[in-house]
């Protein structure tokens, strides 16, 4: 099994999406942002850094991070304590923008090169917050829970109780992205705030 320290160093120096890309190369210099941890019990598995995180080099330094911390019921000091919370998005570098100014999907290269090795090197993780469809597909698939995923992100998140009940180590919560662009989705699905979040906060608190 890979050493987590060695993986961390290799990811920080990764240039696969420029030098050996799957499709068009990354349109800017890579700046991988991933915070794996050998001791964290909680793993946040997001999508990919946005422009602010690309600039800061620190995950979730944007309004999405504020909302995610609220969902979890934690403060910034706890959120950024790598001994307790690992942050490993599906894409490590900002993927660029599409013609409409929205973030492109996470690059495939990260998942193919690093994710299975990282998960094997983080045995303490027993709670996964899978954020967005790409993270849902990967983490449910690797844990043998892919059959519980719905046809859409909404169907998958709506099945959160079944998904949580099916897995114990690690437990998985499937979440939408905390982007403020999803405010309309949250308003249309009030059960997310009323039913899912209290359970999520309880499970996060139990592991901190």
């Amino acid at each position: 099994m890979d050493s987590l320290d060695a993986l961390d160093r290799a990811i920080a120096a990764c240039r696969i999406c420029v030098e050996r890309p799957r499709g068009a190369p990354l349109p800017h210099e890579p700046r991988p942002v991933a915070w794996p941890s050998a001791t964290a019990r909680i793993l946040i598995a997001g999508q990919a850094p946005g422009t602010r995180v690309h600039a800061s080099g620190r995950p979730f330094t944007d309004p999405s991070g504020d909302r995610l911390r609220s969902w979890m019921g934690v403060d910034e000091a706890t959120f950024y304590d790598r001994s307790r919370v690992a942050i490993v998005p599906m894409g490590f570098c900002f993927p660029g923008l599409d013609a409409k100014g929205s973030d492109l999907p996470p690059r495939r290269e990260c998942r193919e090169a690093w994710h299975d090795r990282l998960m094997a090197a983080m045995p303490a993780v027993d709670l996964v917050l899978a954020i967005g469809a790409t993270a849902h597909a990967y983490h449910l698939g690797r844990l043998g829970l892919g059959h519980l995923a719905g046809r859409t992100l909404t169907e998958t998140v709506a099945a959160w109780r079944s998904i949580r009940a099916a897995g114990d180590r690690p437990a998985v919560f499937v979440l939408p992205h905390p982007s403020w662009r999803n405010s309309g989705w949250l308003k249309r699905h009030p059960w997310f705030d009323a039913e899912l979040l209290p359970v999520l906060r309880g499970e996060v608190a139990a592991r901190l």
Side-chain angles (χ1 to χ4, degrees):
M1 185 174 67
D2 295 293
S3 154
L4 188 59
D5 287 343
L7 282 173
D8 205 8
R9 290 193 298 271
I11 289 167
C14 181
R15 296 181 55 82
I16 292 173
C17 54
V18 170
E19 297 174 355
R20 300 188 304 279
R22 294 285 301 273
L26 194 72
H28 48 257
E29 272 298 296
R31 188 178 192 184
V33 180
W35 287 19
S37 169
T39 58
R41 295 181 64 189
I42 299 170
L43 169 64
I44 298 170
Q47 294 293 286
T51 53
R52 294 190 187 187
V53 173
H54 179 68
S56 72
R58 186 177 172 90
F60 287 103
T61 50
D62 53 21
S64 295
D66 295 336
R67 176 174 267 171
L68 178 58
R69 287 183 281 275
S70 174
W71 286 357
M72 295 172 66
V74 300
D75 59 18
E76 284 197 25
T78 302
F79 185 84
Y80 288 116
D81 181 352
R82 286 182 69 168
S83 70
R84 295 193 284 177
V85 179
I87 304 174
V88 179
M90 295 309 302
F92 299 152
C93 291
F94 170 53
L97 301 173
D98 64 19
K100 296 181 180 179
S102 298
D103 291 358
L104 290 167
R107 302 280 308 199
R108 292 180 294 170
E109 293 92 336
C110 298
R111 182 181 71 254
E112 294 167 357
W114 303 114
H115 276 72
D116 289 350
R117 296 160 68 187
L118 280 171
M119 295 307 109
M122 295 194 296
V125 169
D126 64 0
L127 177 63
V128 176
L129 278 56
I131 298 171
T134 305
H136 297 172
Y138 173 75
H139 286 283
L140 293 178
R142 77 178 179 88
L143 296 169
L145 304 176
H147 62 287
L148 297 175
R151 293 170 297 175
T152 64
L153 180 141
T154 297
E155 288 185 4
T156 301
V157 178
W160 69 272
R161 287 188 180 88
S162 298
I163 292 168
R164 169 61 189 92
D168 186 53
R169 182 163 175 83
V172 181
F173 277 82
V174 284
L175 306 173
H177 197 280
S179 168
W180 293 95
R181 294 184 179 186
N182 280 337
S183 294
W185 187 95
L186 295 169
K187 289 179 180 177
R188 292 192 301 274
H189 301 93
W191 50 264
F192 180 81
D193 275 338
E195 300 172 22
L196 186 155
L197 289 186
V199 179
L200 173 64
R201 289 173 185 141
E203 299 227 12
V204 167
R207 291 165 172 82
L208 293 174

